[in-house]
Amino acid sequence: MDDPRTPDLHEAARAILARNDRGGYTVPTDRLYPFQWNWDSAFVAMGFATFDVDRAYRELERLVEGQWDDGMIPHIVFHAPSDTYFPGPEVWGTSHGVPTSGITQPPVFGMALKQIHEAARVAGRPDANDRTRVLYRAALRSHRWWLTARDPEGLGLAAILHPWESGSDNSPAWDEAMARVPTTTTTVIRRKDTGHVDAAMRPRDVDYQRFIHLVDTYRGCGWAPARQWQSAPFKIADVQMTGILARATADLADLAEELGTEEEQTELAALLQRLRDGLARRWRPDLGRFVSLDLISGQDITAPTQAGFMPLLALNLDAGQRQAVAAEIGRWCAGMVVGLPSTAPSSPAFEPKRYWRGPVWAVVNWLIAKGLRANGLDDLARGLERGTVAAIERVGFCEYFDPTTGEGLGGDAFSWTAASYLVLGR
Ligand code: 2M8
């Protein structure tokens, strides 16, 4: 049931999802992001699952319309044309039936599927097993793609070849690696984002030149995973991606017990172990967090970003690690109006209003709180969740928040913020 204190905001959250519905799939927000985005849709599906299980399934079903034959679920599915976003399908030049981008995004899908399946069971839906099974098979194929395409060297870590894959597009974590990427492009860059929101909140032009250089490079590889792996000028084994992939693998393993074969159960257990081992090696006790690995320079990426806490989604920390993580998160949140900043405020790279370089993101808090709770850090988890709900209640369903002032930033009437409210504000 709705929280009696704020029934209108629950209604408002549902109204945003309805308003951003384009026919079974939900755009992140009107105009700024006019297509279906991969991890946005997984969060949105969990939001729908709190009140409309059928629509929750639909969200994921529409996303897998974009799944490639090799198993990859693309980061954008261009179901219908729009001229308010760059880069559109013509820049990607992929060859899937429904036009899609050529890269992927964090596989929250498996987590969402488990949650929807549970909601469907609770609701006593007779179609639960059949609908879940189809999506489970799609998720399994995508996890196999992750393993072969993005961990060919068996590190137990999922690599990204483009910052957009991480979902944290201009994070300071990518600064050093992106500085090596040329700014030349064969595609003419026609940014649309800065026509919708203040340029000071968005990535810079030079970031876009590098983003598009990478797109040009991979399009030139015909989007073939092995060729991309060979020619990638940006290749990072990302602990955020791996933490999410591992959590989603654990959730798929649970579903496999009910809906999969014994071989699949064994396969998923082995994948989960491989990812957990890979993540465990990325812990840095002196930093109190996990670090990504730059596969081109061979160096640790020590920039303090939210990614360092995502492995909690899939690991059982020991007492020393738990204490170190709690202390580190405490330092990041000290003096902030809203936590958790996506970059530590003590870092020279911290910019409280610029996109993934400092602002607070509701879905990040959602995931990190889940990881904290799985590790017995319940008070900290509750604090993050309540802080997120309170931030939304103060300024509305904006894309992200300035941690130093609580101001709402970026796009408004934002789908994943509405979904976060429905799930965290229950
Ligand atoms: C942002 O990314 C897109 C590219 O994928 C963009 O800026 O054009 C990120 O915040 C990403 O995490 C998110 O999925 C997407 C849609 O909300 O917007």
Side-chain angles (χ1 to χ4, degrees):
M1 286 306 282
D2 290 348
D3 178 342
R5 287 170 308 163
T6 52
D8 47 338
L9 271 189
H10 284 85
E11 229 165 77
R14 290 193 286 261
I16 286 174
L17 296 187
R19 172 168 147 193
N20 291 338
D21 184 345
R22 296 291 180 274
Y25 73 93
T26 310
V27 298
T29 188
D30 193 31
R31 298 185 66 76
L32 179 62
Y33 305 121
F35 307 108
Q36 186 175 24
W37 257 260
N38 181 330
W39 74 327
D40 296 65
S41 272
F43 290 113
V44 159
M46 290 189 267
F48 274 124
T50 64
F51 68 101
D52 184 348
V53 175
D54 177 62
R55 184 59 184 78
Y57 275 123
R58 273 313 281 148
E59 190 75 29
L60 297 187
E61 288 162 357
R62 297 249 36 205
L63 184 65
V64 299
E65 288 173 19
Q67 184 167 28
W68 287 16
D69 290 344
D70 66 4
M72 183 185 77
I73 302 182
H75 101 295
I76 305 176
V77 184
F78 301 105
H79 291 287
S82 166
D83 61 3
T84 65
Y85 184 79
F86 174 87
E90 63 295 340
V91 175
W92 294 94
T94 61
S95 60
H96 189 262
V98 184
T100 71
S101 69
I103 59 172
T104 189
Q105 258 192 336
V108 179
F109 189 101
M111 297 166 60
L113 183 58
K114 183 178 171 193
Q115 205 153 311
I116 294 167
H117 184 67
E118 278 164 7
R121 295 290 297 270
V122 169
R125 290 186 67 97
D127 59 349
N129 282 0
D130 288 347
R131 286 181 91 173
T132 303
R133 193 178 289 109
V134 173
L135 294 168
Y136 157 80
R137 302 214 63 78
L140 182 60
R141 292 205 303 118
S142 94
H143 284 225
R144 287 178 180 145
W145 173 86
W146 274 107
L147 202 68
T148 52
R150 296 310 180 81
D151 187 24
E153 287 151 27
L155 297 175
L157 296 167
I160 55 167
L161 303 185
H162 194 300
W164 283 339
E165 295 197 307
S166 71
S168 316
D169 306 358
N170 63 337
S171 169
W174 321 135
D175 284 357
E176 274 184 45
M178 280 300 267
R180 293 191 299 259
V181 174
T183 53
T184 48
T185 63
T186 51
T187 298
V188 179
I189 299 179
R190 293 199 175 88
R191 290 184 70 170
K192 303 279 174 80
D193 56 325
T194 44
H196 306 302
V197 298
D198 185 344
M201 298 179 201
R202 294 289 304 174
R204 301 159 306 162
D205 282 343
V206 66
D207 299 320
Y208 262 77
Q209 287 162 355
R210 294 188 164 113
F211 291 155
I212 297 303
H213 179 93
L214 293 173
V215 173
D216 288 344
T217 304
Y218 303 140
R219 193 184 53 239
C221 295
W223 300 108
R227 285 183 62 197
Q228 287 175 251
W229 188 263
Q230 288 305 323
S231 17
F234 176 93
K235 197 189 293 183
I236 286 167
D238 174 18
V239 289
Q240 171 160 301
M241 191 66 94
T242 309
I244 293 171
L245 180 64
R247 172 77 261 155
T249 302
D251 288 351
L252 284 190
D254 289 345
L255 289 172
E257 283 186 20
E258 215 183 309
L259 303 168
T261 64
E262 259 178 49
E263 291 75 48
E264 287 164 1
Q265 289 169 34
T266 310
E267 178 186 353
L268 286 163
L271 171 55
L272 180 57
Q273 194 54 51
R274 168 169 160 179
L275 297 171
R276 282 186 168 146
D277 291 346
L279 283 172
R281 289 190 283 269
R282 306 310 302 160
W283 170 252
R284 294 295 174 268
D286 47 325
L287 300 177
R289 51 191 164 82
F290 295 80
V291 298
S292 296
L293 172 64
D294 187 324
L295 293 173
I296 292 179
S297 71
Q299 301 293 309
D300 280 0
I301 295 177
T302 55
T305 72
Q306 86 290 338
F309 306 114
M310 286 297 174
L312 273 72
L313 281 168
L315 294 180
N316 297 316
L317 303 189
D318 64 33
Q321 290 176 314
R322 273 201 300 277
Q323 216 174 11
V325 162
E328 182 67 359
I329 289 184
R331 280 189 288 275
W332 291 30
C333 293
M336 295 294 118
V337 173
V338 196
L340 176 83
S342 48
T343 300
S346 60
S347 163
F350 176 68
E351 290 183 74
K353 292 196 191 324
R354 197 183 290 278
Y355 207 38
W356 287 94
R357 301 183 73 84
V360 173
W361 295 76
V363 294
V364 164
N365 284 357
W366 176 353
L367 292 178
I368 291 181
K370 196 173 164 78
L372 289 169
R373 190 167 279 113
N375 278 283
L377 293 164
D378 291 39
D379 289 347
L380 210 47
R382 209 170 302 115
L384 273 190
E385 290 169 349
R386 288 196 179 150
T388 310
V389 167
I392 295 170
E393 287 173 352
R394 273 196 303 272
V395 297
F397 300 95
C398 54
E399 187 175 4
Y400 45 87
F401 306 86
D402 179 335
T404 63
T405 62
E407 188 189 346
L409 304 168
D412 62 4
F414 218 86
S415 297
W416 71 11
T417 311
S420 302
Y421 190 78
L422 291 171
V423 171
L424 304 182
R426 270 185 294 186

